[in-house]
Amino acid sequence: MNTHRIGFNFIIISLLFACSSDDAIQEQLDEQAAIIKNQQTHINLRLLETSDLQANMKDFNYFIGQNDPRLGLARTASLINKARQNNPNNILINNGDLLQGSPMGDYANALGPQKLHPHPVFLAMNLLNYTVSNIGIQDFTNGMPFFEWAINSANFPFINANVYCNVALCDNGRQQGENLFTPYLIKATTLIDNQGNEHNINIGYIGFVDPKVNTWLNNSLAEKITIKNIVDTAEKFIPEMKKKGADLILAIPHSGIAFKQNKLVFAADNAVIHLTDVEGINAILFGHSHQAFPSKQYTNLWNSDIEKGTINGIPAVAPGYWGSHLGVIDLTLNRVEGKWTVINSHSQAKPIFEQQASVLPDKKIEDALVEVHKAILHFSNHNRGVTATPLYSALALIQDSAITQLLSDLQIHAVKATIKADPVFQNIPILSAVSTAKAGGNHTVRDAKQFVDIGVGEITHQDIISLYPYSNTLAAVKISGRLIKEWLECSANQFNQINPHNPAPQNLINWTHHHSADFDIIKNIQYQIDVTQPSRYNEQCIPITSIKSHRITNLHYITEAGERLSGEAFYDHDFIVITNNYRAFAGKFPGTGPKHVIFSFPNDIQTLLAHYITEQTQENGQIDITPSENWRLSPIKSKTPLAIFFQTQNTLSAKEFIIEHQTIKMINKEVDSQGYAKYQIMLNHP
């Protein structure tokens, strides 16, 4: 870098003119500009990124039915407008997981391809002059006809380099061995230098998707495609892009950074670190992990500069999710030996909300969404049935829940007949693995509202989405009872270890290292969880080899003939476990992974749930769910007065639900700093 130092005073002045309204960032740019010693022509280029919008175009949370200044492209658009005012040399990029994940996406999915109407996300996005979008995991899980209709609504192209057609002819006309999508784009772009002169620079864009996308796909689509390694694909195409004249190459991976407890986890689905070693990449605009980069979370990240926003010397940014941040990379380009070279950079993830809203929503986008917003509200409020049982997730982490019972009943109802019709499987017991999607998340301010609270009465489509917000399908695995125990042992990492002899305050839930949606319950068997024992697994279901404990106790199955299977008889017995396709194929939990899958069903769970509730209501007048209480937390035998605390939903209705439905005595203490109700839970009381 020392050979290219030029023009300190000149760069200071030019950068101040380019970014005068952002003093804090300008100071850092001024300091970094000290590397430039010779007065020379240069270009300031600003890259802007959105990612993981998941059809959140408006600053409105449809799950709770109110405006939310923490989300929505309408708010991010105001940051985009400000960033463009500060630098006319700007490029706006989107990075996948765009088309579904919110009621707007569900509304579009329910309507299906509409020849005369665009996918509603593009009513907003087409107003912002995007240059290109990468494709994310969730974007083509509805199949290629839906995807092709959706992106035909966009006035910008979509790219992906590592998804390939794996059959003779794919739905979009690509042949076997060909890229399923356009792998990259090289676009001649006119940029203005610090002297006011124009330059045509060929900017290359290449997109990648997490190779684990197959775990999100229904079986009919998964069989048609192959997802190749991100880094291998980059090493194939980057030289080709250079040969075709790309002066600058921007990598857009829908892939994150696996960084747990100050340790990097190198994996094919978290490829950003690896991409920094691929020669020819000038900047990386990533996503997928829902974390903003740079941020304090990555302070100890290997070979990174969080202040400057680089990883292994490469400028990088990630803009959070649902429009929470705008990713910004400022590049200084200089002509070195006839080639445009990045001589300086600064990255930041600018939030739309900190202690309060940073920006107001963009009026053009709000106006464009008026009619579709009304349609979504009508769609979300459509009555699907009636429940005689309150469906709350406030207690779902500590006792059996009507929600998990409903989901389990649905799963078995939907596929039991198909499984039993196969002579190979008809005599194998069928179990069901479920979790509550919204039960507190990771104990953050935002997650304080991530609970299900559906009272007795009508169930709307919005309630269906709250009960099951994912676009998953059903699958079944065949595994031994021994693996079922290990599956449950990993799930039980949801709890901190409680010391039965310690009178000091102890938190029951392992919020830091286990997301509440990963707390799986397996129905149709019985078991207890002893939280005084250490966890056998960490949050990634990797065994903690030095720990030989067993949290899962009294595990058994009662056969149809009334025989009790426990111990070795249970461990050696085969079972079929119905779960979702993501859980079945991902291989995270013991007993999951492609080698265990015996069935994969095409219908999405959300639709199945809506139909099930409607059918039950039509047949019985309502749904009436009684939790089987097949699992429980083991009572703690201790003479020491224990102060064990549990955090949950802080609303009046949740409080009333807890009073009426608690199976373990609890005392409401206070509201904690994250907005959760804090209860003392009496696990050492009968």
Side-chain angles (χ1 to χ4, degrees), residues 14-140:
S14 64
L15 287 175
L16 281 171
F17 276 111
C19 305
S20 59
S21 68
D22 200 339
D23 294 338
I25 300 307
Q26 185 60 48
E27 288 179 11
Q28 294 193 27
L29 289 172
D30 289 346
E31 291 172 6
Q32 293 155 13
I35 66 169
I36 305 170
K37 283 191 173 180
N38 300 314
Q39 182 170 325
Q40 194 169 339
T41 298
H42 64 273
I43 292 173
N44 296 320
L45 174 60
R46 175 162 283 182
L47 309 177
L48 308 174
E49 183 200 15
T50 57
S51 185
D52 297 272
L53 291 171
Q54 296 188 326
N56 284 284
M57 299 293 106
K58 189 172 171 58
D59 58 340
F60 189 89
N61 188 329
Y62 291 97
F63 296 115
I64 60 176
Q66 63 186 41
N67 289 317
D68 189 342
R70 296 174 177 83
L71 60 84
L73 182 64
R75 297 261 178 178
T76 326
S78 295
L79 289 181
I80 292 169
N81 294 336
K82 288 178 67 175
R84 283 173 162 165
Q85 291 170 5
N86 293 337
N87 189 343
N89 295 326
N90 60 77
I91 293 168
L92 179 59
I93 295 165
N94 184 60
N95 189 4
D97 273 9
L98 168 66
L99 299 177
Q100 51 185 299
S102 79
M104 177 178 283
D106 298 326
Y107 170 71
N109 295 348
L111 291 178
Q114 304 284 304
K115 291 183 179 180
L116 300 179
H117 300 283
H119 191 290
V121 301
F122 299 111
L123 295 173
M125 297 188 77
N126 284 346
L127 299 175
L128 292 174
N129 193 27
Y130 277 88
T131 296
V132 68
S133 178
N134 183 33
I135 297 167
I137 291 175
Q138 299 178 34
D139 290 328
F140 58 103

Side-chain angles (χ1 to χ4, degrees), residues 41-45 89 191-193 199 201 331-333 340:
T41 298
H42 64 273
I43 292 173
N44 296 320
L45 174 60
N89 295 326
L191 302 176
I192 302 170
D193 66 22
H199 300 266
I201 297 181
L331 301 177
T332 303
L333 308 179
W340 287 103

Side-chain angles (χ1 to χ4, degrees), residues 385-449:
V386 177
T387 177
T389 307
L391 300 170
Y392 280 73
S393 62
L395 295 173
L397 300 184
I398 61 169
Q399 68 184 53
D400 201 15
S401 161
I403 295 173
T404 51
Q405 189 67 52
L406 171 61
L407 294 174
S408 178
D409 291 348
L410 159 70
Q411 291 186 172
I412 291 175
H413 171 81
V415 301
K416 182 178 180 179
T418 301
I419 294 173
K420 289 296 185 182
D422 191 322
V424 176
F425 303 116
Q426 62 185 0
N427 295 319
I428 301 177
I430 296 177
L431 313 180
S432 181
V434 289
S435 64
T436 304
K438 296 166 62 179
N442 279 126
H443 192 232
T444 66
V445 172
R446 174 175 286 186
D447 286 342
K449 294 184 178 180

Side-chain angles (χ1 to χ4, degrees), residues 186-216:
I186 300 174
K187 186 174 182 179
T189 306
T190 301
L191 302 176
I192 302 170
D193 66 22
N194 59 304
Q195 310 278 357
N197 300 314
E198 292 185 350
H199 300 266
N200 283 326
I201 297 181
N202 293 324
I203 300 179
Y205 309 84
I206 183 167
F208 312 94
V209 72
D210 176 355
K212 286 186 178 178
V213 67
N214 274 321
T215 65
W216 290 82

